[in-house]
């Protein structure tokens, strides 16, 4: 049983995100998003502890670029959910955090309106 370590509320997302690490680039669906990180749905999750660069954009908000670390991974579809990886944002500056909060807000409004 996994211990819940999240400090920020997660919100369902329909966004897609670029994830770059060394010689690997993924473009994948963001299943959920928070101010602390995201779950990136992919059949090829990176190794736990791997550092990445994420590029995330949504709605009217500009693109957010952030460094992140893979904190957990699910390589195959399990009863617990789809394959992918949990990424924790590292050192977001105030501007990036503000843009991320705007993206989260727009995502919440979109789901509330059913779009």
């Amino acid at each position: 049983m996994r211990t819940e370590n999240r400090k920020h509320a997660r919100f369902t997302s329909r966004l897609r995100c670029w994830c770059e690490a060394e010689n690997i680039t993924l473009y994948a669906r963001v299943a959920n998003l928070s101010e602390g990180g995201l779950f990136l749905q992919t059949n090829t999750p990176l190794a736990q502890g791997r550092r990445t660069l994420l590029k995330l954009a949504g709605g009217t908000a500009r693109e957010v670029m952030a460094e992140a670390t893979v904190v957990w991974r699910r390589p195959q579809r399990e009863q617990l959910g789809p394959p992918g990886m949990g990424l924790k944002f590292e050192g977001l500056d105030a501007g990036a955090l503000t843009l991320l909060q705007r993206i989260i807000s727009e995502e919440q409004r979109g789901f509330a309106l059913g779009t």
Side-chain angles (χ1 to χ4, degrees):
M1 189 158 126
R2 187 187 339 240
T3 303
E4 182 63 50
N5 294 322
R6 289 183 184 92
K7 296 176 183 165
H8 305 281
R10 293 178 293 166
F11 300 97
T12 303
S13 175
R14 293 172 292 199
L15 299 175
R16 294 200 174 266
C17 160
W18 288 99
C19 177
E20 299 175 5
E22 294 177 21
N23 296 330
I24 300 169
T25 300
L26 301 171
Y27 182 66
R29 182 178 173 275
V30 176
N32 62 59
L33 177 64
S34 78
E35 291 179 25
L38 56 85
F39 174 68
L40 194 63
Q41 199 169 325
T42 176
N43 289 321
T44 54
L46 302 173
Q48 189 170 344
R50 188 119 201 233
R51 298 282 295 214
T52 68
L53 177 65
L54 301 175
K55 297 177 189 173
L56 177 71
T60 59
R62 294 183 313 179
E63 184 176 79
V64 173
M65 291 183 62
E67 288 188 12
T69 301
V70 178
V71 293
W72 63 272
R73 63 193 299 268
R74 187 183 306 130
Q76 299 177 26
R77 186 163 192 68
E78 299 175 356
Q79 288 181 335
L80 300 175
M85 57 188 163
L87 294 151
K88 176 184 174 189
F89 295 128
E90 302 290 348
L92 285 177
D93 63 31
L97 180 57
T98 299
L99 287 173
L100 179 61
Q101 290 167 336
R102 188 177 306 153
I103 289 170
I104 291 170
S105 177
E106 288 176 359
E107 282 289 280
Q108 287 179 282
R109 278 196 307 271
F111 275 98
L113 297 173
T115 59

Coordinates of all heavy atoms in Angstrom, one line a residue, residues 1-61:
M1 N 0.8 -1.2 0.0 CA 0.0 0.0 0.0 C 0.9 1.2 0.0 O 1.8 1.4 0.8 CB -0.9 0.0 1.2 CG -1.9 1.0 1.2 SD -3.3 0.5 2.3 CE -3.4 1.9 3.4
R2 N 0.6 2.2 -0.9 CA 1.4 3.4 -1.1 C 1.0 4.5 -0.1 O -0.2 4.7 0.1 CB 1.3 3.9 -2.5 CG 2.2 5.0 -2.8 CD 2.1 5.7 -4.1 NE 1.4 5.0 -5.1 CZ 1.9 4.7 -6.3 NH1 3.1 5.0 -6.5 NH2 1.2 4.1 -7.2
T3 N 1.9 5.1 0.6 CA 1.6 6.2 1.5 C 1.4 7.5 0.6 O 2.1 7.8 -0.3 CB 2.8 6.5 2.4 OG1 3.1 5.3 3.1 CG2 2.5 7.6 3.4
E4 N 0.4 8.3 1.0 CA 0.0 9.5 0.3 C 1.0 10.6 0.8 O 0.9 11.0 1.9 CB -1.4 9.9 0.5 CG -1.9 11.1 -0.2 CD -1.9 10.9 -1.7 OE1 -2.4 9.9 -2.2 OE2 -1.3 11.8 -2.3
N5 N 1.8 11.1 -0.1 CA 2.8 12.2 0.2 C 2.5 13.5 -0.5 O 3.3 14.4 -0.4 CB 4.2 11.7 -0.2 CG 4.7 10.5 0.6 OD1 4.4 10.5 1.8 ND2 5.4 9.6 0.0
R6 N 1.4 13.6 -1.2 CA 1.1 14.8 -1.9 C 0.7 16.0 -1.0 O 0.0 15.8 0.0 CB -0.1 14.6 -2.9 CG 0.3 13.7 -4.0 CD -0.9 13.6 -5.0 NE -0.5 12.6 -6.1 CZ -0.8 11.3 -6.0 NH1 -1.4 10.8 -5.0 NH2 -0.4 10.5 -7.0
K7 N 1.2 17.2 -1.4 CA 1.0 18.4 -0.6 C 0.0 19.3 -1.3 O -0.5 20.2 -0.7 CB 2.3 19.1 -0.4 CG 3.3 18.4 0.5 CD 4.6 19.1 0.6 CE 5.6 18.3 1.3 NZ 6.9 18.7 1.2
H8 N -0.3 19.0 -2.6 CA -1.2 19.8 -3.4 C -2.4 19.0 -3.9 O -2.1 17.8 -4.3 CB -0.4 20.4 -4.5 CG 0.8 21.2 -4.1 ND1 0.7 22.5 -3.6 CD2 2.1 20.9 -4.1 CE1 1.9 22.9 -3.3 NE2 2.7 22.0 -3.6
A9 N -3.5 19.6 -4.1 CA -4.7 18.9 -4.6 C -4.4 18.6 -6.1 O -3.9 19.4 -6.8 CB -5.9 19.7 -4.5
R10 N -4.9 17.4 -6.6 CA -4.7 17.0 -8.0 C -6.0 17.4 -8.7 O -7.1 17.2 -8.1 CB -4.5 15.5 -8.1 CG -3.1 15.1 -7.6 CD -3.0 13.6 -7.7 NE -3.9 13.0 -6.9 CZ -4.3 11.7 -6.9 NH1 -3.8 10.9 -7.8 NH2 -5.1 11.2 -6.1
F11 N -5.9 17.7 -10.0 CA -7.1 18.0 -10.8 C -6.9 17.3 -12.1 O -5.9 17.2 -12.7 CB -7.1 19.5 -11.1 CG -7.3 20.3 -9.8 CD1 -6.2 20.9 -9.2 CD2 -8.5 20.5 -9.2 CE1 -6.3 21.6 -8.1 CE2 -8.6 21.2 -8.0 CZ -7.5 21.8 -7.4
T12 N -8.0 16.7 -12.6 CA -8.1 16.0 -13.8 C -7.7 16.9 -15.0 O -8.1 18.1 -15.0 CB -9.5 15.4 -14.1 OG1 -9.8 14.6 -13.0 CG2 -9.5 14.6 -15.4
S13 N -7.0 16.4 -15.9 CA -6.5 17.3 -17.0 C -6.7 16.5 -18.4 O -6.7 15.3 -18.4 CB -5.0 17.6 -16.8 OG -4.5 18.3 -17.9
R14 N -6.8 17.3 -19.4 CA -6.9 16.8 -20.8 C -5.7 17.3 -21.6 O -5.7 17.2 -22.8 CB -8.2 17.2 -21.5 CG -9.4 16.6 -20.8 CD -10.6 17.2 -21.4 NE -10.7 18.6 -20.9 CZ -11.8 19.3 -20.9 NH1 -12.9 18.9 -21.4 NH2 -11.7 20.6 -20.4
L15 N -4.8 18.0 -20.9 CA -3.6 18.6 -21.6 C -2.7 17.5 -22.1 O -2.7 16.4 -21.7 CB -2.9 19.5 -20.7 CG -3.7 20.7 -20.2 CD1 -2.8 21.5 -19.1 CD2 -4.1 21.6 -21.3
R16 N -1.8 17.9 -23.0 CA -0.7 17.1 -23.4 C 0.6 17.9 -23.1 O 0.6 19.1 -22.9 CB -0.7 16.8 -24.9 CG -1.9 15.9 -25.2 CD -1.8 15.3 -26.5 NE -2.8 14.3 -26.8 CZ -2.8 13.0 -26.5 NH1 -1.7 12.5 -26.0 NH2 -3.8 12.2 -26.8
C17 N 1.7 17.2 -22.9 CA 2.9 17.8 -22.4 C 4.1 17.1 -23.1 O 4.1 15.9 -23.4 CB 2.9 17.5 -20.9 SG 4.4 17.6 -20.1
W18 N 5.1 17.9 -23.4 CA 6.4 17.4 -23.9 C 7.3 17.1 -22.6 O 7.3 17.9 -21.7 CB 7.2 18.5 -24.7 CG 6.5 18.7 -26.0 CD1 5.7 19.7 -26.4 CD2 6.7 17.9 -27.2 NE1 5.3 19.6 -27.7 CE2 5.9 18.5 -28.2 CE3 7.4 16.7 -27.5 CZ2 5.9 17.9 -29.5 CZ3 7.4 16.2 -28.7 CH2 6.6 16.8 -29.7
C19 N 7.9 16.0 -22.6 CA 8.8 15.6 -21.6 C 10.1 15.2 -22.2 O 10.2 14.2 -23.0 CB 8.2 14.4 -20.8 SG 9.2 13.7 -19.5
E20 N 11.2 15.8 -21.8 CA 12.5 15.6 -22.4 C 13.5 15.1 -21.3 O 13.6 15.8 -20.2 CB 13.1 16.8 -23.1 CG 12.2 17.3 -24.2 CD 12.7 18.6 -24.8 OE1 13.8 19.1 -24.4 OE2 12.0 19.1 -25.7
A21 N 14.3 14.1 -21.6 CA 15.3 13.6 -20.7 C 16.4 13.0 -21.5 O 16.2 12.0 -22.2 CB 14.7 12.6 -19.7
E22 N 17.6 13.5 -21.4 CA 18.7 13.1 -22.2 C 18.4 12.9 -23.6 O 18.0 13.8 -24.3 CB 19.3 11.8 -21.5 CG 19.9 12.1 -20.2 CD 20.5 10.9 -19.5 OE1 20.8 9.9 -20.1 OE2 20.6 10.9 -18.2
N23 N 18.4 11.6 -24.1 CA 18.1 11.4 -25.5 C 16.7 10.9 -25.8 O 16.4 10.3 -26.8 CB 19.1 10.3 -26.1 CG 20.5 10.8 -26.1 OD1 20.8 12.0 -26.2 ND2 21.4 9.9 -25.9
I24 N 15.8 11.2 -24.9 CA 14.4 10.8 -25.0 C 13.5 12.0 -24.9 O 13.6 12.9 -24.1 CB 14.0 9.8 -23.8 CG1 14.9 8.6 -23.8 CG2 12.6 9.4 -23.8 CD1 14.8 7.8 -22.5
T25 N 12.5 12.0 -25.9 CA 11.5 13.0 -25.9 C 10.1 12.3 -26.0 O 9.9 11.5 -26.9 CB 11.6 14.0 -27.0 OG1 12.9 14.6 -27.0 CG2 10.5 15.0 -27.0
L26 N 9.2 12.6 -25.0 CA 7.9 12.0 -25.0 C 6.9 13.2 -25.2 O 7.1 14.2 -24.7 CB 7.6 11.3 -23.7 CG 8.5 10.2 -23.3 CD1 8.1 9.8 -21.8 CD2 8.3 9.0 -24.2
Y27 N 5.8 12.9 -25.9 CA 4.7 13.8 -26.0 C 3.5 13.0 -25.6 O 3.1 12.0 -26.2 CB 4.5 14.3 -27.4 CG 3.3 15.3 -27.6 CD1 3.4 16.5 -27.0 CD2 2.2 15.0 -28.3 CE1 2.3 17.4 -27.1 CE2 1.2 15.9 -28.5 CZ 1.3 17.1 -27.9 OH 0.2 18.0 -28.0
A28 N 2.9 13.3 -24.4 CA 2.0 12.4 -23.8 C 0.8 13.2 -23.1 O 1.0 14.4 -22.8 CB 2.6 11.5 -22.8
R29 N -0.2 12.5 -22.7 CA -1.4 13.0 -22.1 C -1.1 13.2 -20.6 O -0.6 12.3 -19.9 CB -2.6 12.1 -22.2 CG -3.8 12.7 -21.6 CD -5.0 11.7 -21.9 NE -6.2 12.2 -21.2 CZ -6.4 11.9 -19.9 NH1 -5.6 11.1 -19.3 NH2 -7.5 12.3 -19.4
V30 N -1.5 14.4 -20.1 CA -1.4 14.6 -18.6 C -2.7 14.2 -18.0 O -3.8 14.7 -18.4 CB -1.2 16.2 -18.3 CG1 -1.2 16.4 -16.8 CG2 0.1 16.6 -19.0
A31 N -2.7 13.2 -17.2 CA -4.0 12.6 -16.6 C -4.5 13.5 -15.5 O -5.6 13.7 -15.3 CB -3.8 11.2 -16.2
N32 N -3.5 13.9 -14.6 CA -3.9 14.9 -13.6 C -2.7 15.8 -13.3 O -1.5 15.5 -13.6 CB -4.4 14.2 -12.3 CG -3.4 13.3 -11.7 OD1 -2.3 13.7 -11.3 ND2 -3.7 12.0 -11.6
L33 N -3.0 16.9 -12.7 CA -2.1 18.0 -12.5 C -2.3 18.7 -11.2 O -3.4 18.8 -10.7 CB -2.3 19.0 -13.7 CG -1.6 20.3 -13.8 CD1 -0.1 20.0 -14.0 CD2 -2.1 21.1 -15.0
S34 N -1.2 19.2 -10.6 CA -1.3 19.9 -9.4 C -0.1 21.0 -9.4 O 0.7 20.9 -10.3 CB -1.1 19.0 -8.1 OG 0.2 18.7 -7.9
E35 N -0.1 21.8 -8.4 CA 1.0 22.8 -8.3 C 2.3 22.0 -7.9 O 3.4 22.6 -8.1 CB 0.7 23.8 -7.2 CG -0.4 24.7 -7.6 CD -0.7 25.8 -6.5 OE1 0.2 26.1 -5.7 OE2 -1.8 26.3 -6.5
G36 N 2.3 20.8 -7.5 CA 3.5 20.1 -7.1 C 4.0 19.1 -8.2 O 5.2 18.7 -8.1
G37 N 3.1 18.8 -9.1 CA 3.6 17.8 -10.2 C 2.4 17.4 -11.0 O 1.3 18.0 -11.1
L38 N 2.6 16.2 -11.7 CA 1.6 15.7 -12.6 C 1.8 14.2 -12.8 O 2.9 13.7 -12.5 CB 1.6 16.5 -14.0 CG 2.9 16.5 -14.8 CD1 3.1 15.3 -15.6 CD2 2.9 17.8 -15.7
F39 N 0.8 13.6 -13.4 CA 0.8 12.2 -13.8 C 0.8 12.2 -15.3 O -0.2 12.7 -15.9 CB -0.3 11.4 -13.2 CG -0.3 9.9 -13.8 CD1 0.7 9.1 -13.5 CD2 -1.3 9.5 -14.7 CE1 0.7 7.8 -14.0 CE2 -1.3 8.2 -15.2 CZ -0.3 7.4 -14.8
L40 N 1.9 11.7 -15.9 CA 2.0 11.7 -17.4 C 1.7 10.3 -17.8 O 2.4 9.3 -17.4 CB 3.4 12.1 -17.8 CG 3.5 12.4 -19.3 CD1 2.7 13.6 -19.7 CD2 5.0 12.7 -19.6
Q41 N 0.6 10.1 -18.6 CA 0.2 8.8 -19.1 C 1.0 8.4 -20.3 O 1.0 9.0 -21.3 CB -1.3 8.8 -19.4 CG -2.0 7.5 -19.5 CD -3.5 7.7 -19.6 OE1 -4.1 8.6 -19.0 NE2 -4.1 6.8 -20.3
T42 N 1.8 7.3 -20.1 CA 2.7 6.8 -21.2 C 3.0 5.3 -21.0 O 3.1 4.9 -19.9 CB 4.0 7.6 -21.3 OG1 4.8 7.1 -22.3 CG2 4.7 7.6 -20.0
N43 N 3.1 4.6 -22.1 CA 3.5 3.2 -22.0 C 5.0 3.0 -21.8 O 5.5 1.9 -21.6 CB 3.1 2.5 -23.3 CG 1.6 2.3 -23.4 OD1 0.9 2.0 -22.4 ND2 1.1 2.5 -24.6
T44 N 5.8 4.1 -21.9 CA 7.2 4.1 -21.7 C 7.7 5.1 -20.6 O 8.4 6.0 -20.9 CB 7.9 4.4 -23.0 OG1 7.5 5.7 -23.5 CG2 7.7 3.3 -24.1
P45 N 7.3 4.8 -19.4 CA 7.7 5.7 -18.3 C 9.2 5.7 -18.1 O 9.8 4.6 -18.3 CB 6.9 5.2 -17.1 CG 6.7 3.8 -17.4 CD 6.5 3.7 -18.9
L46 N 9.8 6.8 -17.7 CA 11.2 6.9 -17.4 C 11.5 6.3 -16.1 O 10.6 6.0 -15.3 CB 11.6 8.3 -17.4 CG 11.4 9.1 -18.7 CD1 11.7 10.6 -18.6 CD2 12.1 8.5 -19.9
A47 N 12.8 6.0 -15.8 CA 13.2 5.4 -14.6 C 13.0 6.4 -13.4 O 13.1 7.6 -13.5 CB 14.7 5.1 -14.6
Q48 N 12.6 5.8 -12.3 CA 12.4 6.6 -11.0 C 13.7 7.3 -10.7 O 14.8 6.8 -10.9 CB 12.0 5.7 -9.9 CG 11.6 6.4 -8.7 CD 11.0 5.5 -7.6 OE1 10.7 4.4 -7.9 NE2 10.9 6.0 -6.4
G49 N 13.6 8.6 -10.3 CA 14.7 9.4 -10.0 C 15.3 10.2 -11.2 O 16.1 11.1 -11.0
R50 N 14.8 9.9 -12.4 CA 15.3 10.6 -13.6 C 14.8 12.0 -13.6 O 13.7 12.3 -13.3 CB 14.8 9.9 -14.9 CG 15.3 10.4 -16.2 CD 16.0 9.3 -16.7 NE 17.0 9.4 -17.7 CZ 16.9 8.7 -18.8 NH1 15.9 8.0 -19.1 NH2 18.0 8.7 -19.6
R51 N 15.7 13.0 -14.0 CA 15.3 14.4 -14.1 C 14.9 14.6 -15.6 O 15.4 14.1 -16.5 CB 16.5 15.3 -13.8 CG 17.1 15.2 -12.4 CD 16.3 15.9 -11.4 NE 16.3 17.3 -11.7 CZ 16.3 18.3 -10.8 NH1 16.3 17.9 -9.5 NH2 16.3 19.5 -11.1
T52 N 13.9 15.5 -15.7 CA 13.3 15.8 -17.0 C 13.0 17.3 -17.1 O 13.0 18.0 -16.2 CB 11.9 15.1 -17.2 OG1 11.0 15.6 -16.3 CG2 12.0 13.6 -17.0
L53 N 12.8 17.7 -18.4 CA 12.3 19.1 -18.6 C 10.9 18.9 -19.2 O 10.7 18.1 -20.2 CB 13.2 19.8 -19.6 CG 12.8 21.2 -20.1 CD1 12.8 22.1 -18.9 CD2 13.7 21.7 -21.2
L54 N 10.0 19.6 -18.6 CA 8.6 19.5 -19.1 C 8.2 20.8 -19.8 O 8.6 21.9 -19.3 CB 7.6 19.3 -17.9 CG 7.8 18.0 -17.1 CD1 6.9 18.0 -15.9 CD2 7.6 16.8 -18.0
K55 N 7.4 20.7 -20.9 CA 6.8 21.9 -21.5 C 5.3 21.7 -21.5 O 4.8 20.7 -22.1 CB 7.3 22.1 -22.9 CG 8.8 22.3 -23.0 CD 9.3 22.4 -24.4 CE 10.8 22.5 -24.4 NZ 11.3 22.4 -25.8
L56 N 4.6 22.5 -20.9 CA 3.1 22.4 -20.7 C 2.4 23.7 -21.0 O 2.9 24.7 -20.6 CB 2.9 22.0 -19.2 CG 1.5 21.9 -18.7 CD1 0.9 20.6 -19.3 CD2 1.4 21.8 -17.2
A57 N 1.4 23.6 -21.8 CA 0.6 24.8 -22.2 C -0.8 24.4 -22.2 O -1.2 23.3 -22.5 CB 1.1 25.3 -23.6
G58 N -1.7 25.4 -21.9 CA -3.1 25.2 -22.0 C -3.9 26.4 -22.1 O -3.5 27.5 -21.5
G59 N -5.0 26.4 -22.8 CA -5.9 27.5 -22.9 C -5.2 28.8 -23.3 O -4.4 28.9 -24.2
T60 N -5.5 29.9 -22.5 CA -4.9 31.2 -22.8 C -3.6 31.4 -22.1 O -2.9 32.4 -22.4 CB -5.9 32.3 -22.4 OG1 -6.2 32.2 -21.0 CG2 -7.2 32.2 -23.2
A61 N -3.2 30.5 -21.2 CA -2.0 30.6 -20.5 C -0.8 30.3 -21.4 O -0.9 29.5 -22.3 CB -1.9 29.7 -19.3

